[in-house]
Amino acid sequence: MAQREKFVYRFDEGGKEMVDLLGGKGAGLAEMTKIGLNVPPGFTITTKACIAFLKNGGFPEGMMDQVMQALHDLENRVGRVFGDEKNPLLVSVRSGAPVSMPGMMDTVLNVGLNDSTVEGLAFMTDNRRFAMDAYRRLIQMFGEIVYGLPHEEFREKIEYVKKTRGYDEDRFTVQDLQGLIDQYAVIYRKHGKVFPQDPQTQLVESIKSVFNSWNSKRAVAYRKMNGIRDDMGTAVSIVAMVFGNMGDDSATGVAFTRDPNTGEKKVFAEYLTNAQGEDVVAGIRTPKYIDDMKNEMPQVYADLMKTCDILEHHYRDMQDIEFTVERGKLYLLQTRTGKRSARAAIRIAIDMIDEGIISEEEALMRITPSTFDRTMHPQVKTTGRETPLGKGLAASPGAASGMIVFSSERALEIGKTKKMILVRPETTADDVRGMAVCEGFLTQKGGMTSHAAVVARAMGKPAVVGVESMSVNANEKTLTIGGKKLREGDVVTIDGTSGYFYEGELPVEKPTIDEYSKRLLEIADRYRRLGIRANANTPEEAKIARENGAEGIGLARTERMFLGNDRIGIMRSMIMSETAEERKKYLDQLLPMQIHDFVEFFRTMEGYPVIIRLLDPPLHEFLPNKEDIIRQIYDINSGNGNRDDLPYLERLLKTVRDLEEFNPMLGFRGCRVGLVYPEIYDMQVRAIIEAAARVIDEGRVIYPEIMIPLVGHHNELKKIRARLEETARSVKNHEKVKYKFGTMIEIPRACVTADKIAQYADFFSFGTNDLTQMTFGYSRDDAEGKFMFFYLENGILESDPFSSVDRDGVGELMKMAVERGKKTKPDLEVGICGEQGGDPDTIEFCDEIGLDYVSASPHRIPVARLAAARSNIVRNRPEMDQVAKY
């Protein structure tokens, strides 16, 4: 005969290693029992039983037989009988998932009471008031949890008694409680229900309700928000009741072995005398603090302090403990790894290293990059009562408030005299000047790798993009959403961490890198293999990157350097030029500006490599919008405006039309511009070499690297490099400069032919934004707004390939490029500089395939340092991936 499956375990049969089967609560109760702490006896029904129940609509065969056998054993251990009228055993029916989901699922207390057993409980305890209070609580909890009766209707009855009697619940008399029980019966009848008097029915229905609560709306939503699997199920622990509502020498409470908000090594606890467990977490009464217990119950306080110390050292982590005090005796009802703030998590990890509780590797594995990231950005401080105006994509973390403006020109006009949020239908490269003076950005269109998102992350400013429910009219200077219309000057608060934005100014908490975060990063640097560089577009961003620990510049986008007020006009004149000589005239004006930029880059990153990408975007991106030019011409021809401007505007319009393309992303850009108009790249290389020579003359050591973008054929790189080598040699003192030439790998063909391209490259740098676009055939801006959400919601894609590298497609191309490139040139330097370079999952992948460095936006450097260390630890010690993460 096949052995039947075991669905029920007594507490003395389990342990913490059985968390997947017994759930967090059941495993914790079993472990505390094992190490000799005072735990009420009981047993746990496994998660497998829950999964079977939810799948089949009923308990698995044999489960209830095992439950009744365990219940009978429990009766023998405590000397009471379930349902006995004179000496009743009461139990709690408590949920407990393998992963902590605080408050998401259900628990029923005092199961086993009815009109008869309540009399036995009163006689047995010589406390009728206590017995009636326990019965009142069961009827209420059973009604709310098992039958779904409205919580508010029960609370109304309690509040009425409190108001008419003039005292709180802990002082309700027997008569008050009997009155409530009678009123509760009315509520049941109103909804067509009757409280079951049979204790076994109570038990069965309570177990069913706890199982069903796994799929409650709040539990499903919590799992989705926290990335918890739906197939785990919840265990159910049946625990002999101990009572915190037996008088002033009894209590219920919750304790954290360290402060969950600050991480301070000090027990943080709250409790209520003469109460039961749900009273504390429900917030219906104001709890007392641990210092009160020291005076009120000194022995219990001492026992609790000792217990906290035992549990923290046993689990080697901060614990969240539920306890009950019955007539002066402490009982433990739960222990689990405590939820904590991001800053507390870091402090606790560092302190536990110093206390010898955990290793440095464990500390690094406990702090996830997302946890660390939360400490790096301002946070909106909400009370939970605020109603958001809307929600978009959380494109760049942080928070900011300010008056809304609808154009970069207006933002520049106001300057830095007021805090502003730039609101646009979508942003373009020309908006960078306005973005620089604003606190954050809000757009109707765009995705996680849209212009607004990328620039916001580079600037370290919050951004909410792709708010499809919002309509932005830049001409009328209005924002409309949900029937509400906001105008320029109205104030909003955006939260780039959650994607919500609010009307008005909400308080914002500013970030700081404290001593504990610095310690953690210093430790991370000792454990990582990957180099960490920065994507920086200006010398100012380079300085921020260096302060955050960057070991060089992995990508300096030179196009951003041409957008300043003193440069954009010259750049446009250069683009409008019709001959190489005319172009050179304007390029000569830009040359000293480029030299100045590069000098500052090199000084900031002294001793580290600086990769400068030559001009990459289509030239039309530096020109005004065609419709705006046509509107200006129309206004002048209508008598509004200066007719002297007309020839320039007409020439500008002709240039815009000449540069128009059906698909600019695949058009005249990158090295194609450098081949057709070589004087542009000549100027940039001349500026790089001259700036490098100047800084070397200052006695500094620098390592300039020149990156040629969008190479898809080795002949492109061969021809451009040959010319630019000549340009470099023409610069005075060029011999002092040890430079490299390389290319950005962003076209699938470049990956496939990397062995040939490597003949002419000293380094490769993956541009994953374009590589992803071309591999998938997705436009990154259009995909986010049109179909990406649908793809993710319906499981067509597991994750957004523009946020984290697509290992099966893009990743395979990257592996191919690394292998083929290094086969041709073993000392080839290979890194990644696309926006994904700051994504922890992508960093892990880059570490796996042997890249030399990753490059991230300046404000993501600390997170990248941590992610690289964690990746290297797991590569060398796979078991470390199982360390608890916060």
Side-chain angles (χ1 to χ4, degrees), residues 169-235:
E169 293 170 50
D170 60 333
R171 299 303 175 203
F172 282 1
T173 66
V174 171
Q175 292 74 24
D176 295 331
L177 294 165
Q178 182 62 64
L180 282 173
I181 290 170
D182 294 340
Q183 289 294 314
Y184 286 180
V186 174
I187 295 173
Y188 269 73
R189 287 196 297 273
K190 174 184 173 183
H191 294 279
K193 301 290 183 181
V194 176
F195 176 75
Q197 290 292 308
D198 177 30
Q200 188 164 333
T201 299
Q202 296 174 16
L203 180 63
V204 169
E205 294 304 315
S206 295
I207 294 170
K208 286 181 180 178
S209 291
V210 175
F211 278 167
N212 282 323
S213 71
W214 175 254
N215 284 332
S216 67
K217 288 183 179 179
R218 66 178 185 269
V220 171
Y222 184 90
R223 290 200 297 274
K224 186 173 182 180
M225 285 188 295
N226 291 277
I228 300 171
R229 298 196 333 262
D230 287 328
D231 61 354
M232 301 172 77
T234 180

Side-chain angles (χ1 to χ4, degrees), residues 120-128 130-131 243 246 327:
L121 181 65
F123 178 79
M124 184 176 69
T125 60
D126 193 25
N127 190 337
R128 185 171 182 78
F130 150 72
F243 301 98
M246 294 189 74
R327 291 179 169 170

Side-chain angles (χ1 to χ4, degrees), residues 306 331 435 519 526 808 857:
K306 182 179 178 182
Y331 291 88
M435 295 169 87
R519 278 273 310 278
R526 296 202 300 272
D808 295 338
S857 61

Side-chain angles (χ1 to χ4, degrees), residues 453-470:
V454 171
V455 173
R457 287 193 289 268
M459 290 183 172
K461 297 185 178 184
V464 175
V465 304
V467 187
E468 295 295 332
S469 59
M470 175 177 73

Side-chain angles (χ1 to χ4, degrees), residues 27 54 66 75 130-131 243-244 274 277 282 291 338 419 440 533 595 668 717 750 755 776 790 796 799:
L54 295 174
Q66 295 179 39
E75 291 172 332
F130 150 72
F243 301 98
N274 200 22
D291 290 342
K419 292 183 177 181
R533 302 185 188 179
I595 292 172
F668 187 43
L717 185 57
D755 51 341
F776 273 94
F790 178 88
I796 297 170
S799 62

Side-chain angles (χ1 to χ4, degrees), residues 708-779:
I708 297 160
L710 213 70
V711 167
H713 195 288
H714 66 277
N715 281 335
E716 292 172 317
L717 185 57
K718 178 181 178 181
K719 187 173 183 64
I720 289 179
R721 177 165 184 169
R723 178 178 177 118
L724 294 181
E725 289 277 18
E726 285 186 25
T727 301
R729 287 193 292 270
S730 70
V731 176
K732 184 180 178 182
N733 294 326
H734 70 274
E735 66 280 354
K736 297 179 181 179
V737 184
K738 304 298 181 185
Y739 57 86
K740 291 181 179 180
F741 274 104
T743 185
M744 201 170 192
I745 302 294
E746 49 194 328
I747 295 176
R749 191 182 190 281
C751 297
V752 177
T753 63
D755 51 341
K756 294 181 179 180
I757 292 174
Q759 298 175 73
Y760 308 102
D762 302 317
F763 67 88
F764 284 172
S765 182
F766 289 104
T768 50
N769 295 344
D770 278 348
L771 184 57
T772 301
Q773 288 193 99
M774 296 189 201
T775 302
F776 273 94
Y778 296 164
S779 162

Side-chain angles (χ1 to χ4, degrees), residues 619-654:
L619 294 177
H620 74 82
E621 286 196 8
F622 296 96
L623 302 178
N625 182 277
K626 182 174 71 173
E627 284 69 27
D628 290 341
I629 302 171
I630 292 172
R631 191 180 299 109
Q632 290 180 61
I633 292 173
Y634 175 82
D635 288 343
I636 291 172
N637 288 330
S638 300
N640 300 315
N642 188 346
R643 293 198 65 82
D644 292 341
D645 294 337
L646 197 57
Y648 172 80
L649 289 170
E650 289 175 339
R651 186 180 174 194
L652 185 61
L653 181 60
K654 179 180 181 302

